[in-house]
Amino acid sequence: MKKQLLSIVLIAVCAAGCAEQKTTVSTASAEKTVATKSLKPRAKIILEKALKSKNGKLRSAAIEITVEAGQKDMLPHITRLTRDPVVPVRFNAMVALGDMRSLSCEKIIRKGLNDPNVNVRIAAAYSLAKLNRPQFVEMIRAAAKSNDQTVRANAALLLGKLGNPDNIELLYEVLQANDSIDKVRLNAVQSIALLGDERMYRSKLWALLISKFADDRVMGIQGMGALNTAESRNAIITMLQDDILEVRLAAAEQLAQLGDKSGEEEVYEYFKTQPDLNKAGMGNEMAVRAIGSLKSTRLNSELTKALDSQSPYIQLLAARSVLIQLK
């Protein structure tokens, strides 16, 4: 299979010495917060615009960022998008209602059980399960054995997000099925890692990290992040020395999500090269995403330029980096 670098905007188809030291930390934190707060109105406008975009991929990405950044005031847009003409958008919107624990939207979610597309139906089942309706989990488990590879891949994704280790055995069946395509297997690997099965470290994730293909290494980094053990975090740290810049940035961003700032200097050095933030290349996307998780004052200064980017994707990722710091 021919490999190419992934341009990652998000997504997945279908989560404080001595007194003098304390004062210093508090002051730095206050400066960072004030600087980021001033960008919040612009970030909110960009997010809302993306949720209303004519571009389905941008709408899908905006839905995921809405959930990640905890923007519950955008809930009316999410509910509207459960009726979107584009299936992946409906899927993401339906999943989002569960991830946002929107009990008031249960009737809307239940309507999703009658959607003409099975991917949206299992997304509705997922959200109902997240709202403490466990009887709907079986719909997703059944979908994991579907002959439709997209349905199977999305079911594998959702089983990981549900967080129940009882689904690990089924995910291994999906992973090892002779007819499962690469996307299905990758989702199964990610979900098994997310559910904490450390067998993934040696059996699958390490192989991705040492692959000759850069996009494989990025997926390995993300899988190691999902596993989130001391050993897997150390493995990600080694990827800060990778020959490919985008892989190093992916490692820095993943570590930042885990609360480890080991890759901050890599991101800082990237911005010192003054990249053209009007372009939505993988390097720009990973670096702008990393700013939000790193919560670094010196990196936050780059957010103004990113918010003004001519690329709606870079704008959206910059909005994400502002908003997740203010959750």
Side-chain angles (χ1 to χ4, degrees):
M1 175 179 175
K2 185 177 180 181
K3 301 287 183 178
Q4 297 176 340
L5 278 177
L6 296 175
S7 180
I8 298 177
V9 177
L10 47 107
I11 101 121
V13 161
C14 322
C18 67
E20 182 177 351
Q21 287 177 321
K22 287 186 177 181
T23 301
T24 302
V25 171
S26 177
T27 302
S29 178
E31 289 174 355
K32 174 185 66 182
T33 303
V34 170
T36 310
K37 277 186 176 179
S38 68
L39 300 176
K40 183 176 180 179
R42 174 72 173 137
K44 298 278 285 189
I45 289 170
I46 289 171
L47 178 58
E48 186 170 17
K49 182 179 178 181
L51 288 166
K52 297 177 178 178
S53 173
K54 293 181 179 180
N55 185 315
K57 290 183 179 180
L58 197 64
R59 295 197 300 276
S60 283
I63 290 168
E64 294 187 358
I65 288 172
T66 298
V67 175
E68 190 177 6
Q71 301 302 299
K72 293 187 176 181
D73 59 324
M74 298 289 176
L75 188 58
H77 293 295
I78 304 298
T79 57
R80 172 180 55 82
L81 291 171
T82 61
R83 303 184 300 276
D84 196 271
V86 178
V87 170
V89 175
R90 295 205 305 278
F91 176 92
N92 273 7
M94 199 62 72
V95 168
L97 294 180
D99 287 341
M100 296 174 81
R101 301 297 199 278
S102 302
L103 286 167
S104 63
C105 296
E106 184 170 346
K107 287 185 178 180
I108 294 173
I109 297 170
R110 285 183 178 274
K111 287 182 180 179
L113 295 172
N114 298 316
D115 192 277
N117 189 281
V118 65
N119 293 286
V120 181
R121 295 200 295 271
I122 64 171
Y126 164 85
S127 283
L128 288 169
K130 295 285 281 189
L131 297 182
N132 199 29
R133 305 289 186 270
Q135 65 269 31
F136 291 98
V137 173
E138 196 53 44
M139 281 183 61
I140 306 170
R141 288 177 56 86
K145 299 180 181 180
S146 172
N147 291 327
D148 185 315
Q149 295 288 325
T150 299
V151 173
R152 192 185 299 184
N154 284 335
L157 170 75
L158 295 176
L159 289 173
K161 284 170 63 66
L162 282 172
N164 187 346
D166 289 345
N167 289 315
I168 290 177
E169 183 179 348
L170 174 58
L171 284 165
Y172 269 108
E173 291 179 23
V174 173
L175 175 63
Q176 294 163 1
N178 292 332
D179 62 336
S180 285
I181 64 172
D182 284 351
K183 178 61 177 176
V184 172
R185 290 193 170 98
L186 286 170
N187 280 4
V189 167
Q190 291 277 350
S191 286
I192 293 169
L194 189 61
L195 294 175
D197 191 319
E198 297 187 23
R199 288 175 291 177
M200 278 293 100
Y201 180 87
R202 290 292 176 191
S203 65
K204 297 295 180 182
L205 297 177
W206 187 256
L208 287 171
L209 282 190
I210 62 176
S211 169
K212 65 179 180 180
F213 301 114
D215 57 344
D216 277 353
R217 300 202 294 280
V218 170
M219 287 185 283
I221 287 167
Q222 294 169 340
M224 289 291 189
L227 186 57
N228 194 17
T229 63
E231 192 174 29
S232 69
R233 289 191 295 273
N234 286 336
I236 299 172
I237 289 173
T238 67
M239 303 308 290
L240 292 172
Q241 308 302 319
D242 195 271
D243 292 338
I244 302 296
L245 171 63
E246 289 83 358
V247 176
R248 298 198 301 273
L249 291 172
E253 195 272 337
Q254 187 64 64
L255 287 166
Q257 285 195 46
L258 301 175
D260 185 330
K261 295 191 175 186
S262 298
E264 180 177 340
E265 196 63 31
E266 188 68 46
V267 179
Y268 182 66
E269 289 299 319
Y270 179 77
F271 281 111
K272 280 176 65 176
T273 67
Q274 298 185 333
D276 183 359
L277 294 180
N278 290 316
K279 297 180 180 178
M282 184 178 175
N284 282 346
E285 291 170 11
M286 297 305 295
V288 173
R289 277 182 60 88
I291 295 175
S293 300
L294 285 166
K295 301 179 182 179
S296 165
T297 304
R298 64 176 180 171
L299 289 174
N300 279 341
S301 63
E302 302 292 336
L303 286 175
T304 301
K305 289 183 288 185
L307 290 169
D308 290 333
S309 171
Q310 293 177 18
S311 165
Y313 292 102
I314 295 299
Q315 279 193 334
L316 182 58
L317 290 173
R320 171 195 176 275
S321 282
V322 171
L323 296 172
I324 66 171
Q325 293 188 61
L326 300 174
K327 287 177 65 176

